[in-house]
Amino acid sequence: MPLRDELPPRCGPWATRFDSEEALVVADDVLRAAALKDHDLAPIVPFRQLYGPASAGTSWATGFGIDPQAPYGPGGEVGYVHADFSDGFVYSVYRPTAELRPGGPGPERGGDLLLTDAYPYPGGAIDPVTVPLAELGLDAPGVDHRFVRFCAGWLGVEAADDLGELRETFAAAWPDYRETIRAGLIHVVRSRPLTVAQWYGLTYIAFPDVEELTAYLAQVYAYLYDGFDAMPVAPN
């Protein structure tokens, strides 16, 4: 697996953070419960569902980005805008602990999951929680919304370079989850339903064309299911 300093720099359109340890604990408690309930290693919860109305949520998270409409001011200064979490989300990526038996029933308790990453994000071009599968061309046998969240979370800009951490224990995930991700990866590689614009809307990682995106997803499949040694590296 490449070392982090050997990987391309990752930078999404927003820089975000939790404002307190309490904010992270609240998110982890809810998301960890959702992971166990739904058999999902990448649960995503709407920001307002976690922290209440936007007016009461300003103390939970901070985000800012460069204004795409006015990236520079009249004097050449960078034009920053603050994030609006009113239609945003909190993402998380978990992995099973090494003590779980590969091929077993999967994580059953909160302690069976290790938190790889958790981060708040403003609403983007595609809502990973409610977007219809058909809109992304993912209405295929064996595929459900967990695959959309896998793409947005594990293959998104904040966690794509942590895929090696998942691989070590992916065999101990829930069997139905593994089959859902398998079905989704096979479908997107064979049928190429996703455009690069849709992929960016989900992940904030830009591919130059569908061919490179398909090659990357084929490597993800081989890495997680076929013992392919080299961790797939998404573009800068």
Side-chain angles (χ1 to χ4, degrees):
M1 186 176 73
L3 298 175
R4 270 208 170 262
D5 58 4
E6 297 172 345
L7 293 167
R10 296 269 171 249
C11 184
W14 292 97
T16 64
R17 69 175 187 188
F18 292 105
D19 285 349
S20 65
E21 183 176 353
E22 180 189 4
L24 175 57
V25 169
V26 169
D28 185 28
D29 285 347
V30 173
L31 289 159
R32 190 178 295 268
L36 293 171
K37 174 180 174 289
D38 299 332
H39 290 187
D40 189 356
L41 291 180
I44 300 172
V45 175
F47 192 86
R48 276 196 276 189
Q49 182 178 322
L50 272 174
Y51 301 125
S55 60
T58 53
S59 64
W60 296 106
T62 298
F64 63 91
I66 297 175
D67 187 348
Q69 304 302 320
Y72 297 101
E77 69 278 6
V78 177
Y80 289 107
V81 289
H82 290 282
D84 176 9
F85 291 109
S86 62
D87 61 348
F89 307 93
V90 177
Y91 292 66
S92 60
V93 286
Y94 293 97
R95 62 190 190 279
T97 60
E99 293 75 21
L100 292 177
R101 178 172 62 85
E108 298 179 313
R109 298 166 296 277
D112 292 338
L113 293 170
L114 297 175
L115 180 61
T116 299
D117 205 351
Y119 52 95
Y121 233 61
I126 295 178
D127 180 338
V129 175
T130 64
V131 61
L133 292 176
E135 189 174 309
L136 301 176
L138 297 177
D139 49 341
V143 180
D144 59 40
H145 259 87
R146 290 177 295 178
F147 180 68
V148 178
R149 295 191 289 270
F150 171 80
C151 294
W154 268 109
L155 302 184
V157 69
E158 298 286 342
D161 297 332
D162 294 319
L163 200 59
E165 297 184 30
L166 174 62
R167 186 199 186 188
E168 295 174 3
T169 56
F170 188 59
W174 306 275
D176 61 302
Y177 182 77
R178 285 174 47 82
E179 288 307 308
T180 295
I181 304 308
R182 181 197 296 272
L185 288 170
I186 289 175
H187 175 65
V188 294
V189 169
R190 287 180 175 172
S191 302
R192 302 186 177 192
L194 289 163
T195 66
V196 292
Q198 288 173 317
W199 186 259
Y200 183 82
L202 274 178
T203 66
Y204 299 110
I205 294 180
F207 280 81
D209 51 50
V210 172
E211 286 69 27
E212 287 205 23
L213 172 59
T214 302
Y216 170 74
L217 294 173
Q219 291 174 15
V220 171
Y221 179 92
Y223 187 66
L224 293 179
Y225 293 97
D226 290 343
F228 185 70
D229 286 334
M231 190 189 83
V233 178
N236 181 347

